């Protein structure tokens, strides 16, 4: 039995940086339980009855918002969705005022996505609710990394010792950042590959090996994670053209052949087919892209469940 | 108890056993063996974990351990016997009933326990029970298994 005084991770889930390995593994183990819930006839458990989860999305999102909404509903929480374009934010309300007003309605968990790095941290310091970072600017996207880890563990049995190549626009990618932190914490060897203009500075603090060509990064990889070219975050002349990017960095069958024969291919979505990945690979037998989406609901259920527990009152078993 | 369960169900054809994690799971497995010896029929056996159905879920352990529920048969139409080691407040059984019903609509659910220690807080009673013992709320009962079967051990005052 677990020591009741020992609590899970942190009050909020703002990033994978600093998340301890045993807390991450505990969350992934719980997600296995929730994965089973989604396969039942009644895909819902009463665990978070009476809890309120607000999805506060200041940036467009289909997958992540829907995934958090379904996760909350399968736990019987009341889920409210707010998006930047349809809320008072478009009338000029500040983030602080929005949070203060939502706070007055006593939510238990705020799920925050924002284009500014650090916005969820700002919110977390100003609310009694628990905060989940659902993607902040170019900083972190912890639940994406956790669902990637869950998918890798299911496909490969373990994460420790695997070589994971993360390819594409690393510099702007919160997915790359969160994955690099989490997967190295869990014992994987992480590689970054991308055009020099889209790589983090050479003196970066990530525990990764960096490549400015995709071929050497794929050599012997167990997991190939392809990132979307984020046109909305690319300003100036970082990329000559999408066609050139596809030619030099797109994941083709020939390039994938450098990875291990049983390597899996991942993509956080949305996919630009024919740019960062060939459509035939995205739909191919080694792709686990839709498994990632399925894992997302289970992992987010585990996150909401762990954050909503009120510590200190251990019941009789 | 195995004979009584089969007799009351009018045969083993529709019978299925579901152990409540964690204490009820080995007992359900042992019951299934006894039924197989008696009837030469292997009844389906499952397990439920009630952590997600607790009425105190929001004040649960900060680092909760949840086992997986495994119901490897179609619940619909079966006569299911829920199996647990010790019946006390009845709250665990209430949660297990809710969990089980989320898998489908069984024809009937019955409750089998090794020990009924009294102290009920919900209107729940066992259909099959091996031993009834009235112990105080501070006493602890552990069920231990050995080659000859399961034995209840009472620790007055709660410490072993």
């Amino acid at each position: 039995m677990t020591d009741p005084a020992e609590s899970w991770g942190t009050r909020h889930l703002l990033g994978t940086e600093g998340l301890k390995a045993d807390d991450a593994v505990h969350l992934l183990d719980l997600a296995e339980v929730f994965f089973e819930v989604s396969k039942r006839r009644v895909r819902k458990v009463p665990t978070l009855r009476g809890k309120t989860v607000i999805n506060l999305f200041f940036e467009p999102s289909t997958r992540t918002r829907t995934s958090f909404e379904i996760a909350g509903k399968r736990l019987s929480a009341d889920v409210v969705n707010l998006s930047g374009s349809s809320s008072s934010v478009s009338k000029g309300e500040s983030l602080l005022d929005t949070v203060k007003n939502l706070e007055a309605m006593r939510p238990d968990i705020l799920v925050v996505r924002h284009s500014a790095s650090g916005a969820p941290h700002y919110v977390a310091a100003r609310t009694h609710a628990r905060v989940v970072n659902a993607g902040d600017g170019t900083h972190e996207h912890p639940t994406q990394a956790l669902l990637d880890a869950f998918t890798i563990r299911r496909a490969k049995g373990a994460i420790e010792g695997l070589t994971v190549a993360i390819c594409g626009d690393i510099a702007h990618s919160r997915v790359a950042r969160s994955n690099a932190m989490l997967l190295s914490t869990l014992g994987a060897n992480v590689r970054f590959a991308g055009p020099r203009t889209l790589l983090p500075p050479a003196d970066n603090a990530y525990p990764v090996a960096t490549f400015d060509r995709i071929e050497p990064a794929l050599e012997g990889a167990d997991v190939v994670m392809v990132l979307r070219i984020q046109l909305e975050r690319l300003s100036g002349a970082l990329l000559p053209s999408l066609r050139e990017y596809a030619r030099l960095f797109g994941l083709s069958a020939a390039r994938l052949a450098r990875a291990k024969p049983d390597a899996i291919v991942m993509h956080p979505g949305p996919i630009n087919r024919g740019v960062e990945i060939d459509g035939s690979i995205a739909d191919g037998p080694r792709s686990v892209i839709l498994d990632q989406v399925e894992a997302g609901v289970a992992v987010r259920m585990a996150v909401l469940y762990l954050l909503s527990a009120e510590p200190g009152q251990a019941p009789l078993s | 108890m195995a004979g009584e369960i089969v007799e009351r169900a009018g045969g083993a054809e529709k019978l299925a056993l579901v152990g409540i994690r964690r204490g009820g799971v080995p007992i359900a497995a042992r019951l299934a063996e006894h039924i197989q010896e008696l009837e030469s029929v292997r009844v389906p056996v499952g397990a439920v974990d009630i952590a997600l159905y607790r009425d105190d879920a929001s004040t649960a352990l900060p680092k909760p351990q949840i086992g997986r529920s495994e119901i490897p048969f179609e619940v619909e139409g079966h006569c299911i016997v829920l199996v647990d080691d010790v019946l006390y407040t009845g709250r665990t059984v209430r949660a297990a009933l809710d969990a089980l019903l989320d898998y489908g609509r069984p024809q009937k659910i019955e409750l089998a326990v090794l020990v009924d220690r009294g102290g009920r807080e919900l209107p729940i009673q066992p259909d099959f029970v091996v031993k009834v013992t009235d112990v105080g709320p501070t006493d602890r009962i552990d069920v231990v298994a050995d080659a000859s079967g399961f034995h209840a051990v009472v620790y007055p005052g709660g410490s072993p």
Side-chain angles (χ1 to χ4, degrees):
Chain A
M1 205 62 205
T2 314
D3 176 7
E6 184 192 351
S7 61
W8 182 83
T10 42
R11 189 179 155 75
H12 309 285
L13 181 63
L14 300 176
T16 59
E17 186 174 6
L19 186 64
K20 292 201 291 287
D22 59 339
D23 282 332
V25 168
H26 183 238
L27 189 143
L28 298 180
D29 290 345
L30 271 183
E32 292 284 351
V33 173
F34 291 114
F35 195 77
E36 188 269 334
V37 170
S38 290
K39 293 183 182 301
R40 295 184 192 172
R41 192 167 96 159
V42 176
R43 289 186 287 276
K44 195 180 185 83
V45 289
T47 319
L48 295 194
R49 218 152 48 93
K51 302 270 182 185
T52 303
V53 177
I54 299 184
N55 286 331
L56 193 52
F57 278 60
F58 294 101
E59 239 188 11
S61 163
T62 310
R63 214 174 331 269
T64 306
R65 194 191 56 69
T66 311
S67 185
F68 267 109
E69 182 175 355
I70 290 176
K73 287 182 169 169
R74 290 199 178 153
L75 289 167
S76 300
D78 296 304
V79 182
V80 180
N81 291 312
L82 293 178
S83 65
S85 56
S86 64
S87 68
S88 303
V89 178
S90 60
K91 299 177 188 166
E93 188 175 69
S94 72
L95 179 57
L96 180 57
D97 282 329
T98 303
V99 169
K100 278 182 174 171
N101 278 276
L102 294 176
E103 174 81 6
M105 300 182 215
R106 300 193 166 275
D108 295 285
I109 298 179
L110 295 176
V111 179
V112 181
R113 165 167 291 193
H114 202 285
S115 59
S117 301
H121 305 67
Y122 177 89
V123 172
R126 287 158 183 83
T127 175
H128 292 101
R130 308 297 180 100
V131 176
V132 183
N133 180 359
D136 61 328
T138 59
H139 178 226
E140 280 237 37
H141 192 354
T143 58
Q144 178 70 43
L146 287 162
L147 74 87
D148 288 340
F150 182 87
T151 308
I152 294 170
R153 202 176 70 162
R154 282 204 138 227
K156 295 278 165 199
I159 291 171
E160 196 166 358
L162 295 181
T163 297
V164 181
I166 305 180
C167 312
D169 178 2
I170 307 290
H172 294 96
S173 177
R174 53 200 180 201
V175 175
R177 213 171 297 266
S178 290
N179 262 307
M181 298 293 182
L182 179 65
L183 295 176
S184 346
T185 300
L186 295 175
N189 306 305
V190 181
R191 298 169 176 170
F192 280 164
R196 227 167 290 170
T197 48
L198 299 179
L199 283 174
D203 60 349
N204 71 74
Y206 302 114
V208 301
T210 304
F211 299 83
D212 60 8
R213 285 176 55 239
I214 189 168
E215 288 83 1
L218 293 179
E219 212 65 61
D222 299 283
V223 177
V224 180
M225 192 179 291
V226 188
L227 302 172
R228 181 173 65 96
I229 287 299
Q230 305 186 64
L231 296 169
E232 74 275 21
R233 289 190 222 282
L234 290 179
S235 54
L238 293 173
L239 271 187
S241 76
L242 287 182
R243 267 180 63 196
E244 180 173 322
Y245 181 83
R247 197 165 54 79
L248 293 174
F249 285 92
L251 187 64
S252 60
R255 291 204 170 105
L256 182 56
R258 292 173 178 265
K260 287 205 181 131
D262 62 347
I264 55 169
V265 176
M266 309 178 77
H267 192 302
I271 300 177
N272 296 314
R273 282 172 187 267
V275 181
E276 68 266 5
I277 185 168
D278 274 9
S280 62
I281 292 175
D283 303 329
R286 293 157 82 175
S287 163
V288 294
I289 294 173
L290 294 178
D291 300 282
Q292 291 173 266
V293 179
E294 186 179 12
V297 174
V299 164
R300 288 176 177 120
M301 285 172 82
V303 169
L304 295 178
Y305 174 71
L306 283 170
L307 290 188
S308 67
E310 289 154 28
Q313 298 138 301
L316 290 169
S317 56
Chain B
M1 182 154 52
E4 205 184 334
I5 288 173
V6 175
E7 193 186 318
R8 191 100 61 92
E13 290 71 40
K14 288 185 172 176
L15 209 55
L17 304 175
V18 173
I20 301 177
R21 281 199 198 280
R22 295 189 311 232
V25 172
I27 300 170
R30 191 74 68 92
L31 270 174
E33 285 168 21
H34 285 312
I35 291 172
Q36 188 163 19
E37 286 161 20
L38 291 171
E39 300 287 314
S40 308
V41 178
R42 186 74 199 159
V43 298
V45 183
V48 280
D49 189 289
I50 58 113
L52 300 175
Y53 291 83
R54 302 181 72 106
D55 51 14
D56 55 359
S58 66
T59 56
L61 294 170
K63 204 161 182 175
Q65 306 290 322
I66 308 180
R68 234 186 283 194
S69 293
E70 290 157 72
I71 309 291
F73 55 89
E74 191 60 49
V75 164
E76 201 93 29
H78 268 107
C79 291
I80 294 176
V81 180
L82 261 181
V83 183
D84 206 357
D85 50 358
V86 180
L87 176 60
Y88 184 22
T89 62
R91 290 178 193 268
T92 299
V93 174
R94 194 283 307 160
L97 286 171
D98 282 350
L100 203 48
L101 292 172
D102 279 353
Y103 286 88
R105 186 175 188 275
Q107 187 179 328
K108 187 175 175 182
I109 303 179
E110 291 181 305
L111 175 63
V113 298
L114 280 189
V115 183
D116 179 355
R117 63 169 288 181
R120 218 78 79 240
E121 293 169 5
L122 291 173
I124 282 170
Q125 304 305 334
D127 300 282
F128 309 99
V129 56
V130 174
K131 179 177 177 165
V132 179
T133 168
D134 208 6
V135 296
T138 59
D139 299 336
R140 186 174 128 191
I141 295 187
D142 280 357
V143 171
V144 292
D146 65 21
S148 67
F150 296 92
H151 308 280
V153 186
V154 180
Y155 299 106
S159 45

